[in-house]
Amino acid sequence: RDHLHALPSQGCHIRVSVGTGDLDFPIAISNAALWRMPELEVEQGSLQHQGFQGSLRLFLERVQREVEEAKARYPESAWKSFDLFLRRLEGVLAGDSGKLSLEVRDPSGLSHVDAGLSPELNAFERSVREDWSLGVDYPRPRQRSDAKSVARLVQKSSRIVALTGAGISVESGLTPFRSGDKGGAIWKEFDPRQMTVKNFNNDPEVRAAWWSLERKLHREISAAEPNPGHRFFGMLERRGKLHAVITQNIDSLHQKGGVSDRNMNELHGHMRTIICADQRTRLNPEVFGEGVCDYSAGGMDQVSDAAVPLCPKCTAPLRSETVMFEQAMPDGAVESAREAVIGADLLIVVGSTLIVAPANELPGEALRRNTPVVLVNFDETRYDDHVHVLVRQPAGKFFAEVADILSGPVLSDGEDTDEISQLPDSAPPEVSAWPVAASESSGDEQLYGDDDLC
């Protein structure tokens, strides 16, 4: 396990074609790797095995033993499939079978096979989630918490990306989803576990509850005005410094605050239009019926007051173009967000719990590239020790102070001898403790945070 401290910078993907005469070649498969043998219809996932080092023959014999042990734990009615696999594997070991292939996808990059097997080798960049599972620890810069430090970073940057969650809109009067200073929370009134796209399409009671939630949100959003946090990014756009705003919010307050649509990436959609649930769109990929309707309304003000408003063309329920739980993100939105962060020279994260994937991986994309990250948030996150600036203040109040500083004389580095430390581009991430996969939360688990808009 100590060799993880010399972890390669990239993962590896290995493919080999193996014949009877190749079984004595050595191979090494790390426990972080997913391996499969398609002809035998067998595979093991990352961190689901102990890893292996030895000859290919010994590897297959170990697989044979483990399958035999697993067979004993199943009822006899399931043994047929085990026996079929074991006969095929015995044929390979006895040399009675033709070629078979071994594929290894290893995010650690530690797996390798003998050159005599003529392997096909490809390197790939690990995902942030794979960094987490491997225990990769991002650099820990000297950290600041003051407005002047943020102003200086903004002044130096020309491709600023913002990642925002529900916390940025609390000062505009919107109820947070998970918790709030006044005790109010959307998920105390509505059950998020029920608000799935499948339930909406199949359960009339859920549709009624979802529309009750939508109307509550619409009343608040209609009365809300952008606060200085929203307007700060509008100012950055006017100065030519804003590259993108990636938001988990559906309130359109960034646009009201001066950010143009071309710079917006609304991961969870928006409430500006109401459509028939049987209309297939980028924000409604899982339709109510056959996906044949094309009705849309301008907004919530144009629908009836019924508990569940129905489409005037086909009588299917209406819905907003927001992303419900268990619904896919808008096509291309996640990759576009990732590309924006990769191309940024400063990432500012505001008001997000950073619990739910894939948005919670975006700060890691910046940190692994040594891009400065500013985090303005009351909730603790996994990134708190790694960001360059960590602020525990209301976003509107803090960014109003930053804007005031930026409107004054140009800051020089010499004004503050305790300047934010900048890490060299070559600084590699460190590797901490051996990964424990069970400690990591999956996006599929739907851990509902206050930035989880439905």
Side-chain angles (χ1 to χ4, degrees):
R1 295 180 180 182
D2 291 340
H3 58 272
L4 276 178
H5 291 275
L7 198 71
S9 60
Q10 292 183 306
C12 64
H13 195 173
I14 304 171
R15 294 184 182 89
V16 293
S17 181
V18 180
T20 303
D22 300 322
L23 296 182
D24 292 325
F25 279 110
I27 64 171
I29 301 176
S30 85
N31 73 336
L34 178 151
W35 66 265
R36 64 167 58 95
M37 304 188 83
E39 292 84 0
L40 296 177
E41 299 181 357
V42 63
E43 69 175 44
Q44 278 187 305
S46 176
L47 301 176
Q48 295 179 4
H49 56 90
Q50 297 179 347
F52 176 81
Q53 187 166 359
S55 71
L56 184 57
R57 183 184 302 278
L58 291 176
F59 174 70
L60 294 177
E61 289 175 349
R62 193 181 83 171
V63 171
Q64 184 180 42
R65 288 194 303 272
E66 292 181 354
V67 171
E68 288 172 343
E69 292 170 359
K71 173 185 171 181
R73 296 193 293 268
Y74 282 79
E76 290 188 21
S77 59
W79 286 5
K80 183 177 180 180
S81 58
F82 285 93
D83 291 338
L84 177 61
F85 168 79
L86 289 169
R87 284 196 299 271
R88 296 172 67 183
L89 185 54
E90 287 169 1
V92 172
L93 290 169
D96 298 333
S97 179
K99 290 271 187 178
L100 58 89
S101 55
L102 170 66
E103 298 180 14
V104 179
R105 186 191 183 280
D106 184 3
S108 78
L110 296 170
S111 297
H112 57 87
V113 300
D114 192 277
L117 291 170
S118 302
E120 177 186 341
L121 302 174
N122 291 288
F124 63 88
E125 181 178 331
R126 284 189 293 271
S127 70
V128 171
R129 188 162 292 276
E130 286 170 333
D131 277 352
W132 296 346
S133 68
L134 290 167
V136 173
D137 196 15
Y138 299 124
R140 298 172 184 246
R142 185 172 28 168
Q143 197 171 80
R144 303 296 298 270
S145 61
D146 59 293
K148 183 178 286 189
S149 295
V150 175
R152 183 176 291 111
L153 285 171
V154 168
Q155 199 171 67
K156 292 179 177 180
S157 304
S158 61
R159 293 177 63 83
I160 299 172
V161 170
L163 171 62
T164 67
I168 194 174
S169 296
V170 170
E171 290 167 88
S172 293
L174 301 191
T175 303
F177 277 71
R178 190 163 65 94
S179 62
D181 294 337
K182 298 179 180 179
I186 294 293
W187 296 142
K188 289 183 180 179
E189 185 176 349
F190 300 92
D191 185 355
R193 294 168 297 182
Q194 296 298 315
M195 301 295 180
T196 68
V197 64
K198 181 179 179 180
N199 286 346
F200 178 89
N201 285 339
N202 293 283
D203 189 331
E205 292 185 3
V206 171
R207 285 198 289 274
W210 185 88
W211 265 101
S212 179
L213 166 62
E214 286 290 286
R215 287 195 166 97
K216 176 181 175 65
L217 293 174
H218 174 66
R219 287 192 296 271
E220 291 190 358
I221 290 171
S222 297
E225 293 295 331
N227 64 57
H230 299 104
R231 292 195 290 269
F232 178 77
F233 297 108
M235 178 200 71
L236 293 184
E237 180 174 297
R238 292 191 299 274
R239 294 190 177 194
K241 288 180 170 288
L242 186 68
H243 180 45
V245 173
I246 304 159
T247 187
Q248 297 167 281
N249 300 341
I250 59 174
D251 53 35
S252 300
L253 288 177
H254 281 297
Q255 290 93 321
K256 292 180 182 179
V259 179
S260 61
D261 287 338
R262 72 175 183 276
N263 283 330
M264 288 299 306
N265 185 340
E266 296 168 300
L267 292 177
H268 292 172
H270 56 81
M271 292 184 66
R272 295 187 294 273
T273 55
I274 299 297
I275 63 169
C276 175
D278 200 33
Q279 180 184 175
R280 194 181 305 276
T281 71
R282 179 171 176 264
L283 286 161
N284 185 34
E286 300 175 51
V287 294
F288 180 78
E290 300 298 324
V292 295
C293 192
D294 61 358
Y295 177 79
S296 63
M300 291 282 287
D301 295 332
Q302 298 185 29
V303 303
S304 73
D305 293 331
V308 179
L310 301 180
C311 175
K313 293 186 68 173
C314 72
T315 72
L318 297 178
R319 59 162 290 174
S320 62
E321 288 202 283
T322 52
V323 177
M324 300 184 193
F325 288 114
E326 298 182 7
Q327 177 182 324
M329 292 288 189
D331 185 39
V334 174
E335 185 55 34
S336 176
R338 181 175 180 271
E339 289 174 358
V341 172
I342 289 174
D345 54 11
L346 173 62
L347 176 65
I348 302 177
V349 184
V350 188
S352 175
T353 59
L354 297 177
I355 290 175
V356 176
N360 63 351
E361 299 177 30
L362 294 174
E365 295 288 2
L367 291 170
R368 71 200 308 198
R369 291 169 173 81
N370 296 313
T371 301
V373 177
V374 174
L375 178 57
V376 182
N377 207 36
F378 282 112
D379 293 303
E380 294 183 356
T381 77
R382 71 186 312 138
Y383 297 110
D384 288 0
D385 293 336
H386 306 282
V387 299
H388 292 70
V389 181
L390 178 64
V391 178
R392 303 292 195 205
Q393 294 184 40
K397 177 182 178 181
F398 179 77
F399 284 110
E401 184 180 355
V402 177
D404 285 344
I405 295 172
L406 289 171
S407 66
V410 176
L411 296 171
S412 66
D413 292 343
E415 292 181 28
D416 191 343
T417 57
D418 190 22
E419 186 182 1
I420 299 173
S421 62
Q422 297 293 318
L423 293 167
D425 291 341
S426 60
E430 296 180 355
V431 179
S432 61
W434 183 255
V436 180
S439 68
E440 297 298 342
S441 63
S442 166
D444 295 336
E445 294 173 347
Q446 291 294 347
L447 301 177
Y448 304 106
D450 60 358
D451 45 21
D452 304 330
L453 298 171
C454 69

